[in-house]
Amino acid sequence: MRRVLSSATLALAIAGCTVGPDYRPPAPAALAVPAGYSVPGAPTATDLTQWWRRFDDPVLGQLVEQASAANTDVAQAIARLRQAREALVQSRADLLPSVTASTGYSRSETLRGGGQTITLPDGTVQNIGGGGGANNFSIGGSASYQLGLFGEVRRTIEASRAQYEASGFDYAAALLTVQQEVARNYVLARLYQAQLANARASLALQEDNLEIAGFRLQAGLVSSLDQEQARQQRAQTAATIPTLEQQYNAAVSRIGVLTAQAPGALKPLLAPPRPIPTGAPPPGIGIPADVLRQRPDVRAAERALAAATAQIGVAQAALYPNFTFSGNIDARANAVGSLLDTVTGGLFAGLTQAIFNGGRLRSQVRGQEAAADAALAAYKGTVLTALEDVENAVVALDTAQRRERELTIAYEAAGNAALLSREQYRTGLSDFTTLSQQEAALLTSRNSAAQARADEATALVQLFAALGGGWDSTTVPTAPPRAAAAPTLVQPAPTPSPLPEVNP
């Protein structure tokens, strides 16, 4: 027993030895993060947690918040987050011993033959035929504990914790994607409503022109060419309406599915026409290093790198000895009252070491090192893609704003030209070809101006998403109870690093 205790003391003394690299987040310079963007942008501290409120459209806000709470992709991300939490709980259980208990009862009966032997007072031994029954009771327990001498248990917990946090950031990324999709389809729905209104307004004018051409034809003022041109123009405009209706229906159906409802559930809500939403852009886009903190997909990639680094230590620990404690206690008796009269027990301490395995264990280490290299490359790629998203969104918003200004001027000019052409045609000062061209240009200008407003709104949504808006980047999502609808958010420990530190 003294030798066993001495071995245990020695094992505990060296249990603090943890093999494998200690994780440190890569510096921004190692990720090729520049000091500033190549497009104009100033530092900003604007809160973009609920960026959809900047559009001042209550219907849009209602839909985004409803999708955030009920979307099926978000629900799947929450379930994966809960799974990752339970994996962490299971990893932590390895720090504690495993204890089991058992109890049993049996009875034996002689069914044929056999007998029992008795000794009479005079010393005579006599065999009595027939059987007899016997009871047997038992109770026992066992315990075992695997001591991670070289940190395999702690590294496993470190990896599980990083994977749990990565799942939380994956949830946040899914949430942002859903919010962006709802807003984008909402803008499309309002755009198609505007274009439908434009087409119907032009159709009404063209029907009026067809009637005027018919009157002038009857009066002998024009040939039938004017009437046929009017019919052609009216039919072409009418043909665009079914296409726009189909596109509008697709956008509304998509919003319904994103909010976890039937495709047609939101048609009554969206049927009343509303203008294309216009929002207030942020005063600046900050600096590129902000992306490392604000984008959940970037933070998820960083946590995946931390998990892959910890797995290297798990693989390396398999190269070293493994120490295990086990013990058991047992009691057996023919009656319950005498069950504890005789109790036996045992204690075992074992040390195992891999001697030969054909290089499998060292290959596993190299494989985990390759996985960490891949995770680092994926992290760097995610960072660069995030920076690309920001710059593209800034340029898209700027060009949409400039296009919208010019197309508004073009729309006003086209409206004036169409009005003049209509008046001149009524008085016979212009032919129908000129009127047809001006009214076609008016419809095109109306639709182009509406498209430019929609492009501006879409680019602004894209910018909010690229900047990591839609969640609180100062928090770390944690798994909710099963009955809860969404993860809770906890404050991370303060750290001077631009990336979140995770203590194993």
Side-chain angles (χ1 to χ4, degrees), residues 442-463:
L442 174 60
L443 178 58
T444 300
S445 296
R446 279 177 174 172
N447 287 336
S448 296
Q451 183 68 60
R453 288 193 296 272
D455 290 344
E456 182 178 353
T458 301
L460 187 55
V461 170
Q462 179 184 350
L463 178 59

Side-chain angles (χ1 to χ4, degrees), residues 158-377:
E158 180 183 346
S160 296
R161 182 183 292 113
Q163 290 165 352
Y164 175 40
E165 293 180 345
S167 295
F169 294 131
D170 286 339
Y171 153 75
L175 185 65
L176 268 59
T177 299
V178 168
Q179 293 169 352
Q180 182 182 9
E181 277 295 294
V182 170
R184 187 181 68 84
N185 281 277
Y186 181 80
V187 171
L188 287 176
R190 296 309 183 190
L191 169 63
Y192 297 141
Q193 277 186 335
Q195 291 181 337
L196 277 168
N198 294 341
R200 287 165 180 157
S202 294
L203 184 62
L205 289 176
Q206 290 162 8
E207 288 176 344
D208 186 45
N209 292 339
L210 178 59
E211 184 177 2
I212 294 173
F215 290 153
R216 299 193 67 187
L217 176 62
Q218 291 177 0
L221 299 176
V222 296
S223 67
S224 59
L225 177 61
D226 283 12
Q227 186 179 39
E228 293 305 315
Q229 286 180 329
R231 288 178 58 208
Q232 177 191 14
Q233 186 182 44
R234 180 211 165 276
Q236 287 178 336
T237 301
T240 63
I241 292 178
T243 300
L244 292 172
E245 289 175 338
Q246 181 269 329
Q247 293 172 329
Y248 169 76
N249 182 79
V252 174
S253 297
R254 185 61 190 149
I255 298 174
V257 173
L258 288 170
T259 54
Q261 301 180 76
L266 295 176
K267 287 184 178 180
L269 176 65
L270 296 175
R274 291 182 63 90
I276 298 171
T278 57
I285 58 175
I287 58 176
D290 291 340
V291 170
L292 306 181
R293 180 182 65 258
Q294 295 171 346
R295 288 276 294 246
D297 56 341
V298 171
R299 295 179 68 172
E302 186 270 337
R303 291 289 82 203
L305 173 59
T309 303
Q311 290 292 349
I312 297 176
V314 176
Q316 287 183 347
L319 298 172
Y320 298 94
N322 186 18
F323 193 85
T324 303
F325 290 105
S326 65
N328 63 79
I329 188 169
D330 187 64
R332 295 178 180 273
N334 294 330
V336 176
S338 60
L339 188 61
L340 300 179
D341 290 349
T342 303
V343 180
T344 61
L347 180 64
F348 173 79
L351 190 67
T352 60
Q353 167 66 57
I355 301 299
F356 177 76
N357 48 60
R360 177 175 57 86
L361 295 180
R362 294 192 180 278
S363 176
Q364 289 176 350
V365 174
R366 294 193 296 271
Q368 290 299 333
E369 290 173 343
D373 291 341
L376 175 60

